[in-house]
């Protein structure tokens, strides 16, 4: 189904920017607290090129193109390393500098939403420690994980609203010898891809015009503290978040819609680890099967760690039960990297994925068998001790 | 009220508050007061229209006998008995997706669940112990290493339902990690290479905010191990608390 924008705009429950219900801009409180010396606001460094993007309630959001501090995702780095690698690769190809820090911790929110073995002061202190570290480096934070992004927006709301929480966190930060810092914007990597989509498309070397895509928008990206999320009147008529979709369209792919787009993926934080029967059922019955039936995509694109994991890994067991599943799943970062000519294994690391991505690669004109031999040849060099690691130069060789 | 359709044979929770007679009303009230006094609570509850929009969008309501509406209503009515029952029977079913933020009243039932879970953990309720059984390795990982998801968790016996690729990754792990071009990703036991100084700072956060102590009642053994790891490390650095 192509995107029925006209129908969406006629719906009774359509989203409209009602001037009476537009939430207050958090910047007012942020800058007030800065003026009172309560915290430091990290600005996008002077001289860095910035793209202004539209958000849900119309407030323009500034996204810096370069000089970014990559707040990595433990789920991406640990289990889907082609996700993070593709983000870095695309940024390098476009010529923007960045910092890949070792003094970063996970936001720890996956555990918090799974087990509640933490509290808001600890969660806020973890966030502010990372923000302070980015500030001290001079690079501006770019958040890879949708849950980190959602959680940090929540932390910011709580800190701006509750002086007692600020006082508690300040005591901890004093102990660490770090300042209280919040960035002027909390920026998700998918917003960077949205902002840079035309630059990415200008470097495209593979034709995606025959590729059909469905998009799963990540709950924690646009449902938590919704005012920060990008909504563009030119994408879905402004009815859904524009990230991922706008990029896929800029790359010439055909984005198709499906009825359960608003549903979560079934990740559940604890469920994906210790109650996977729920996760598998939800991901296949409410998402993958509906997509297959209504849109028959070549690939499912999403922009969060948990969603890629869930939608990709849940298909194997369902396939064994003869369900209507079997579609490639990846992040739009990997999709963009492939468009720009990235190696499917050395960069996009698709061998870490479960659902069959090979038919997609064939449609993209990629000889995956040859690519696999190339990867194995490089790995053999590591095995023989000829090299310790593969470098960025190696993966483009 | 029309009954909600549910899967055949699924366990159904009674509308009436049953059980937990062995817990005094005072004890239940104390737990509710803790939920209510959380500073986020007023931002998460503004009364309830009973419209059920939250239920319609809730993934957990589709597969469990779980309802964000019931969570919001019990909290709005300050129904101490029902809230206690929910803390023992319902809260761990929530997916924490926050789809229920679509509530026209501005409620956040998923957020209320987060607070209820925290109180359940803090007091070592049976539901929390049960929910965290088999989960302690993950808490150990995140609290002690600073990243939750590590490559070496991908073991075929832990994820038999994820397909044969898990075994491939696990067999080739060290080699495939060395094939990753970002220098921070060559690790196998953590998501990325976290610096020593950063870990010490993280330990201080867990200790200073009482986050570590939260798990004392749900998992005494884990608490002991983590406390030892952290205090030893801080002592080596000569950091006094
Ligand atoms: S956060 Fe919990 S209660 Fe809310 S929609 Fe998601 S699963 Fe349902
Ligand atoms: S959507 Fe909001 S108002 Fe409606 S039942 Fe749920 S909590 Fe109550």
């Amino acid at each position: 189904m192509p995107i029925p924008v006209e129908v969406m705009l006629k719906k009774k429950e359509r989203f409209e920017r009602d001037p009476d219900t537009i939430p207050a801009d958090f910047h007012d409180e942020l800058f007030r607290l800065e003026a009172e010396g309560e915290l430091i606001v990290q600005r996008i460094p002077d001289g860095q090129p910035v793209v202004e993007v539209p958000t849900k309630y119309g407030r323009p959001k500034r996204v810096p193109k370069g000089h970014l501090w990559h707040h990595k995702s433990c789920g991406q780095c640990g289990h889907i390393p082609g996700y993070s690698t593709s983000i870095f690769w695309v940024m390098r190809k476009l010529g923007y500098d960045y910092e890949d820090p070792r003094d970063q911790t996970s936001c720890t929110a996956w555990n918090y939403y799974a087990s509640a073995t933490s509290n808001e002061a600890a969660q806020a202190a973890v966030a502010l420690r990372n923000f302070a570290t980015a500030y001290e480096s001079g690079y501006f934070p770019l958040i890879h994980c949708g849950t980190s992004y959602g959680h940090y927006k929540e932390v910011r709301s709580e800190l701006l609203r509750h002086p007692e929480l600020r006082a508690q966190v300040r005591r901890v930060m004093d102990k660490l010898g770090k300042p209280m810092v919040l960035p002027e914007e909390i920026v998700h990597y998918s917003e960077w891809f949205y902002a840079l989509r035309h630059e990415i498309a200008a470097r495209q070397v593979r034709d995606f015009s025959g590729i059909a895509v469905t998009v799963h928008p990540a709950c924690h990206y646009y449902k938590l503290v919704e005012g920060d999320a990008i909504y563009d009147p030119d994408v879905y008529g402004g009815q859904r978040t524009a990230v991922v979709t706008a990029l896929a369209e800029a790359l010439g792919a055909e984005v198709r819609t499906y009825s359960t787009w608003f549903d979560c993926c079934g990740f559940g934080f604890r469920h994906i680890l210790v109650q996977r029967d729920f996760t598998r059922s939800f991901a296949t019955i409410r998402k993958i099967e509906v997509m297959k039936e209504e849109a028959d995509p070549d690939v499912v694109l999403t922009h969060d760690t948990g969603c890629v994991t869930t939608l990709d890994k849940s298909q194997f067991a369902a396939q064994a039960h003869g369900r209507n599943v079997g579609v490639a799943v990846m992040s739009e970062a990997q999709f963009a990297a492939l468009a720009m000519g990235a190696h499917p294994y050395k960069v996009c690391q698709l061998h870490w994925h479960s659902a069959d991505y090979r038919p997609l690669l064939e449609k993209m004109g990629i000889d995956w068998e040859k690519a696999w031999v190339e990867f194995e040849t490089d790995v053999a060099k590591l095995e023989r001790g000829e090299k310790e690691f593969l470098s960025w130069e190696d993966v483009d060789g | 009220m029309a009954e909600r359709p549910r899967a055949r044979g699924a366990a159904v929770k009674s509308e009436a508050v049953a059980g937990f007679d062995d817990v005094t009303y005072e004890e239940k009230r104390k737990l509710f007061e803790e939920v209510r006094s959380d500073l986020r609570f007023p931002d998460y509850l503004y009364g309830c229209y009973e419209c059920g929009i939250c239920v319609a969008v809730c993934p957990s309501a589709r597969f469990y006998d779980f309802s964000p509406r019931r969570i919001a209503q019990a909290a709005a009515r300050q129904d101490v008995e029902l809230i206690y029952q929910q803390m023992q029977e319902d809260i761990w079913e929530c997916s924490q997706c926050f789809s229920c933020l679509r509530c026209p009243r501005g409620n956040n039932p998923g957020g209320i669940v987060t607070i209820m879970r925290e109180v359940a953990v803090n007091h070592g309720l049976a539901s929390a112990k049960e929910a965290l059984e088999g989960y302690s390795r993950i808490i150990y990982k995140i609290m002690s290493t600073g990243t939750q998801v590590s490559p070496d968790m991908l073991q075929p016996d832990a994820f038999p339902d994820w397909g044969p690729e898990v075994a491939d990754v696990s067999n080739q792990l060290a080699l495939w990690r060395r094939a990753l071009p970002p220098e921070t990703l060559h690790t196998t036991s953590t998501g990325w290479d976290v610096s020593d100084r950063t870990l010490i700072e993280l330990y201080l956060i867990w200790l200073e905010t009482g986050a570590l102590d939260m798990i004392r009642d749900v998992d005494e053994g884990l608490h002991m191990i983590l406390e030892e790891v952290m205090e030893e490390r801080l002592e080596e650095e000569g950091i006094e608390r």
Side-chain angles (χ1 to χ4, degrees):
Chain A
M1 205 197 312
I3 299 170
V5 175
E6 288 306 312
V7 179
M8 288 163 67
L9 291 175
K10 282 196 195 118
K11 281 199 162 177
K12 182 162 98 274
E13 68 272 23
R14 70 185 173 275
F15 168 68
E16 271 170 10
R17 282 182 195 144
D18 174 358
D20 294 336
T21 57
I22 289 182
D25 182 347
F26 71 89
H27 288 98
D28 299 345
E29 188 60 8
L30 186 71
F31 292 138
R32 190 186 70 75
L33 291 174
E34 184 190 39
E36 289 183 358
E38 277 225 40
L39 46 79
I40 296 168
V41 179
Q42 182 181 11
R43 305 295 201 288
I44 294 166
D46 277 346
Q48 283 302 319
V50 164
V51 183
E52 265 198 9
V53 297
T55 56
K56 182 156 188 179
Y57 294 101
R59 179 179 67 76
K61 177 170 185 173
R62 282 156 38 87
V63 174
K65 289 186 176 185
H67 212 60
L68 292 159
W69 192 85
H70 284 251
H71 181 293
K72 296 177 290 301
S73 149
C74 43
Q76 287 171 26
C77 294
H79 289 180
I80 343 167
Y83 197 151
S84 353
T85 303
S86 294
I87 298 174
F88 290 129
W89 187 88
V90 170
M91 201 165 273
R92 297 175 81 88
K93 285 286 157 194
L94 296 188
Y96 295 111
D97 71 320
Y98 65 82
E99 168 75 9
D100 171 10
R102 285 184 162 80
D103 48 8
Q104 179 221 327
T105 70
S106 154
C107 67
T108 74
W110 182 342
N111 177 58
Y112 182 54
Y113 292 127
S115 75
T117 51
S118 184
N119 56 47
E120 74 227 311
Q123 292 306 111
V126 166
L128 286 205
R129 200 211 64 81
N130 278 327
F131 283 141
T133 310
Y135 171 74
E136 286 165 344
S137 78
Y139 288 78
F140 195 82
L142 181 76
I143 316 292
H144 284 198
C145 183
T147 281
S148 306
Y149 171 83
H151 189 56
Y152 284 176
K153 289 188 294 178
E154 281 208 308
V155 164
R156 183 188 65 202
S157 304
E158 285 160 19
L159 282 168
L160 295 183
R161 202 174 300 194
H162 301 293
E164 61 274 43
L165 180 63
R166 289 200 296 277
Q168 206 183 347
V169 175
R170 185 170 298 111
R171 277 195 296 276
V172 179
M173 297 305 282
D174 284 348
K175 280 235 151 122
L176 305 184
K178 287 200 176 281
M180 297 271 284
V181 182
L182 282 169
E184 67 168 276
E185 292 288 359
I186 296 181
V187 183
H188 188 235
Y189 88 86
S190 67
E191 301 179 326
W192 185 89
F193 275 79
Y194 167 90
L196 278 284
R197 67 195 184 283
H198 300 304
E199 286 186 31
I200 293 169
R203 303 286 296 268
Q204 185 167 6
V205 297
R206 289 181 176 130
D207 178 17
F208 280 8
S209 57
I211 309 289
V213 166
T214 49
V215 171
H216 167 66
C219 295
H220 287 196
Y221 173 75
Y222 74 105
K223 292 173 184 168
L224 279 170
V225 196
E226 56 187 359
D228 288 54
I230 295 181
Y231 281 66
D232 178 338
D234 293 336
V235 183
Y236 298 117
Q239 294 297 303
R240 300 181 197 167
T241 180
V243 294
V244 186
T245 298
L247 174 73
E249 287 183 339
L251 295 173
E254 183 199 342
V255 180
R256 297 178 182 170
T257 189
Y258 58 102
S259 54
T260 55
W261 67 273
F262 185 81
D263 271 359
C264 87
C265 62
F267 182 66
F269 298 87
R270 57 185 307 278
H271 300 77
I272 186 84
L273 295 165
V274 290
Q275 231 160 304
R276 281 209 297 287
D277 50 347
F278 166 81
T279 296
R280 281 195 308 267
S281 306
F282 197 87
T284 52
I285 297 172
R286 289 291 295 184
K287 299 297 292 197
I288 299 291
E289 286 195 328
V290 178
M291 290 178 190
K292 290 270 285 180
E293 206 165 291
E294 297 178 7
D296 192 24
D298 297 305
V299 61
V300 178
L301 296 183
T302 181
H303 56 141
D304 174 49
T305 315
C307 315
V308 172
T309 306
T310 299
L311 296 173
D312 180 48
K313 306 292 187 204
S314 297
Q315 293 184 49
F316 176 76
Q319 208 145 20
H321 288 282
R323 309 288 312 205
N324 181 22
V325 295
V327 58
V329 179
M330 64 181 70
S331 67
E332 92 283 39
Q334 288 161 296
F335 191 69
L338 287 170
M340 288 171 63
H343 197 283
Y345 300 112
K346 297 187 203 178
V347 176
C348 299
Q349 304 284 326
L350 290 176
H351 46 295
W352 292 70
H353 292 230
S354 287
D356 192 6
Y357 51 80
R358 293 167 194 88
L360 171 73
L361 294 186
E362 282 165 16
K363 247 192 164 172
M364 289 173 166
I366 299 170
D367 181 345
W368 55 266
E369 280 170 303
K370 182 167 154 264
W372 182 248
V373 172
E374 289 162 0
F375 175 71
E376 294 252 72
T377 308
D378 277 2
V379 168
K381 284 184 200 153
L382 300 179
E383 207 164 13
R384 289 195 300 270
E386 285 170 36
K387 265 179 187 293
E388 202 179 351
F389 307 109
L390 293 192
S391 65
W392 288 110
E393 290 69 37
D394 293 328
V395 301
D396 281 337
Chain B
M1 195 171 57
E3 252 198 88
R4 203 159 50 80
R6 48 183 160 271
R8 234 175 327 142
V12 175
K13 285 159 203 153
S14 159
E15 282 291 321
V17 180
F20 310 112
D21 294 339
D22 50 330
V23 183
T24 63
Y25 184 83
E26 266 327 296
E27 178 63 19
K28 293 172 184 168
R29 173 150 205 97
K30 194 177 87 190
L31 298 185
F32 168 65
E33 287 304 335
E34 261 184 52
V35 171
R36 191 167 61 164
S37 62
D38 188 289
L39 55 83
R40 293 164 291 183
F41 187 80
D43 305 332
Y44 288 175
L45 186 66
Y46 301 91
C48 175
Y49 298 140
E50 313 206 354
C51 63
I53 288 177
C54 55
V55 183
V57 296
C58 174
S60 295
R62 270 180 205 281
F63 285 83
Y64 299 111
D65 184 20
F66 171 83
S67 158
R69 178 183 56 81
R70 285 202 303 253
I71 298 282
Q73 282 175 344
R77 291 183 196 145
Q78 310 199 2
D79 187 334
V80 167
E81 294 282 355
L82 183 55
I83 289 167
Y84 185 81
Q85 187 188 31
Q86 291 175 340
M87 283 170 74
Q88 289 286 23
E89 293 181 354
D90 291 13
I91 52 175
W92 299 99
E93 290 169 352
C94 167
S95 304
Q96 295 280 282
C97 65
F98 300 103
S99 300
C100 48
L101 281 169
R102 208 161 167 177
C103 165
R105 200 76 178 81
N107 294 336
N108 182 354
I112 300 171
V113 168
T114 314
I115 300 173
M116 288 164 81
R117 284 181 175 184
E118 260 184 62
V119 173
V121 167
N122 254 328
H123 289 270
L125 292 199
S127 80
K129 284 186 182 153
E130 195 189 322
L132 299 182
E133 237 177 308
Y135 189 85
S136 45
R137 202 177 136 218
I138 294 158
I139 300 176
Y140 178 79
K141 195 72 146 186
I142 186 72
M143 283 198 155
S144 70
T145 73
T147 71
Q148 166 167 326
V149 178
S150 59
D152 62 5
M153 277 181 186
L154 282 173
Q155 300 285 341
D157 54 343
F159 297 96
D161 52 333
W162 279 10
E165 292 75 13
V166 174
D168 297 343
V169 167
S170 150
N171 290 336
Q172 301 287 340
L173 195 64
L175 210 50
W176 283 5
R177 293 300 285 185
R178 284 200 280 133
L180 295 171
E183 287 169 11
T184 51
L185 301 190
H186 298 146
T187 49
T188 54
S189 61
T190 53
W192 60 84
D193 183 13
V194 180
S195 80
D196 225 34
R197 178 78 224 161
T198 298
L199 268 190
I200 290 162
E201 290 171 357
L202 186 67
Y203 293 174
L204 272 170
I205 291 175
W206 298 140
L207 291 162
E208 292 293 323
T209 56
L212 177 64
D213 281 342
M214 284 182 73
I215 57 173
R216 197 196 301 267
D217 283 347
V218 272
D219 196 332
E220 215 185 317
L222 176 68
H223 178 265
M224 231 164 66
I225 298 170
L226 276 169
E227 193 171 45
E228 232 176 80
V229 168
M230 292 180 193
E231 296 206 321
E232 207 176 279
R233 197 68 197 83
L234 292 183
E235 215 178 279
E236 277 166 27
E237 291 295 312
I239 297 172
E240 280 189 31
R241 292 188 49 234

